[in-house]
C-alpha cells in the first residue's frame, strides 16, 4: 500500500508545481494585458486590427492608398519647407511668401479626385463585364481583381513619390544612399 501511495504523492506534487507555474504565467499575462489595455495606443491598434479583419482586400488597399496619399502630402510640405529655407538663404525676400500655395492644394485635390474616379471606373468595368478574380500563386494566395491591381499601381505611384521624390527634395536621396551602400559592399 505504501508503494502505491508514493507515486500518487509524487504525481500530486508535480501537478501542484505545474499548476503553480501556470498560475504565475497567467497572472503575469493578465497584468501585462491590463497594463496594455489601459494605454490609448493599444486600444487604437487593437481596434484597427479588429476593423481590418472585417474589411475586404479592396477596402484595405483603398485605406493603404489613402494613408500613402496623406503621407505624400505631408512629406511634400516638408520638402517644400526645406527648399524654401534653402532659397531664403539666397533671397531673404522670400520669407514673406507662403509655404503652401492654393495652386498646389488644387493639384492635390485634382490628384485625389483622379484616383477616386479612376478606381471607380476600373471597378465599374470589372462589374459590368463580370470579370472574375484571378490568382498569382507565386505572389499571393489571395484572389486578385483588376481593381485591386489598379489600386496597387496607385499605391506604388504614391510610394515612389514619397521615397524617391519628396525625400530627395528634403535632402535625403535614398537611391544615392542605396548605391553608396551597395558600392561599399562590392
Amino acid at each position: 500500500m505504501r508503494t502505491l501511495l508514493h507515486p500518487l504523492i509524487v504525481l500530486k506534487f508535480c501537478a501542484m508545481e505545474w499548476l503553480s507555474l501556470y498560475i504565475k504565467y497567467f497572472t503575469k499575462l493578465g497584468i501585462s494585458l491590463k497594463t496594455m489595455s489601459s494605454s490609448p495606443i493599444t486600444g487604437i491598434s487593437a481596434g484597427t486590427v479588429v476593423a481590418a479583419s472585417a474589411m475586404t482586400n479592396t477596402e484595405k488597399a483603398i485605406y493603404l492608398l489613402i494613408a500613402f496619399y496623406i503621407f505624400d502630402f505631408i512629406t511634400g510640405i516638408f520638402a517644400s519647407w526645406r527648399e524654401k529655407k534653402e532659397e531664403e538663404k539666397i533671397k531673404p525676400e522670400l520669407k514673406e511668401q507662403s509655404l503652401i500655395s492654393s495652386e498646389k492644394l488644387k493639384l492635390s485635390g485634382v490628384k485625389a479626385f483622379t484616383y477616386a474616379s479612376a478606381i471607380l471606373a476600373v471597378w465599374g468595368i470589372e462589374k459590368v463585364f463580370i470579370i472574375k478574380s484571378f490568382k498569382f500563386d507565386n505572389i499571393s494566395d489571395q484572389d486578385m481583381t483588376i481593381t485591386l491591381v489598379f489600386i496597387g499601381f496607385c499605391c506604388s505611384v504614391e510610394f515612389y513619390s514619397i521615397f524617391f521624390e519628396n525625400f530627395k527634395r528634403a535632402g535625403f536621396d535614398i537611391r544615392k544612399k542605396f548605391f553608396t551602400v551597395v558600392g561599399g559592399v562590392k
Side-chain angles (χ1 to χ4, degrees):
M1 181 83 165
R2 183 164 170 89
T3 58
L4 183 63
L5 285 178
H6 182 64
L8 289 176
I9 292 172
V10 170
L11 183 63
K12 177 184 171 189
F13 177 75
C14 289
M16 293 302 286
E17 189 174 318
W18 287 347
L19 184 63
S20 164
L21 287 173
Y22 280 114
I23 288 173
K24 286 179 186 176
Y25 172 76
F26 284 117
T27 303
K28 286 182 182 179
L29 181 65
I31 290 170
S32 297
L33 288 175
K34 182 178 184 281
T35 304
M36 287 177 14
S37 66
S38 64
S39 168
I41 302 249
T42 306
I44 292 169
S45 60
T48 304
V49 168
V50 169
S53 65
M55 290 189 286
T56 65
N57 289 338
T58 305
E59 290 170 338
K60 290 176 193 175
I62 288 173
Y63 284 121
L64 180 64
L65 178 61
I66 291 169
F68 275 148
Y69 179 80
I70 291 169
F71 193 57
D72 180 41
F73 185 78
I74 292 168
T75 56
I77 290 172
F78 178 70
S80 295
W81 177 76
R82 288 285 306 250
E83 287 175 340
K84 186 173 184 274
K85 288 294 179 191
E86 292 297 319
E87 289 177 9
E88 284 176 357
K89 291 176 184 175
I90 299 168
K91 300 177 184 175
E93 65 271 4
L94 291 176
K95 288 186 179 183
E96 290 87 32
Q97 187 180 7
S98 65
L99 180 64
I100 301 173
S101 68
S102 62
E103 186 177 313
K104 287 184 179 181
L105 284 176
K106 286 178 189 175
L107 288 176
S108 292
V110 168
K111 184 167 87 169
F113 178 76
T114 304
Y115 278 148
S117 58
I119 290 169
L120 284 174
V122 169
W123 178 79
I125 290 169
E126 182 182 316
K127 295 303 174 190
V128 167
F129 295 107
I130 312 168
I131 300 173
K132 296 191 300 186
S133 61
F134 51 92
K135 281 190 177 189
F136 289 121
D137 288 331
N138 54 349
I139 295 174
S140 174
D141 293 333
Q142 298 292 323
D143 288 336
M144 300 277 207
T145 61
I146 59 170
T147 305
L148 192 60
V149 171
F150 182 74
I151 295 169
F153 172 74
C154 294
C155 285
S156 65
V157 168
E158 288 299 306
F159 182 85
Y160 182 84
S161 176
I162 293 166
F163 291 100
F164 296 107
E165 291 176 355
N166 292 346
F167 279 7
K168 184 177 182 178
R169 285 178 40 221
F172 186 74
D173 191 359
I174 293 176
R175 183 180 295 142
K176 188 176 179 182
K177 295 277 187 191
F178 175 76
F179 286 125
T180 303
V181 169
V182 169
V185 170
K186 284 184 179 179

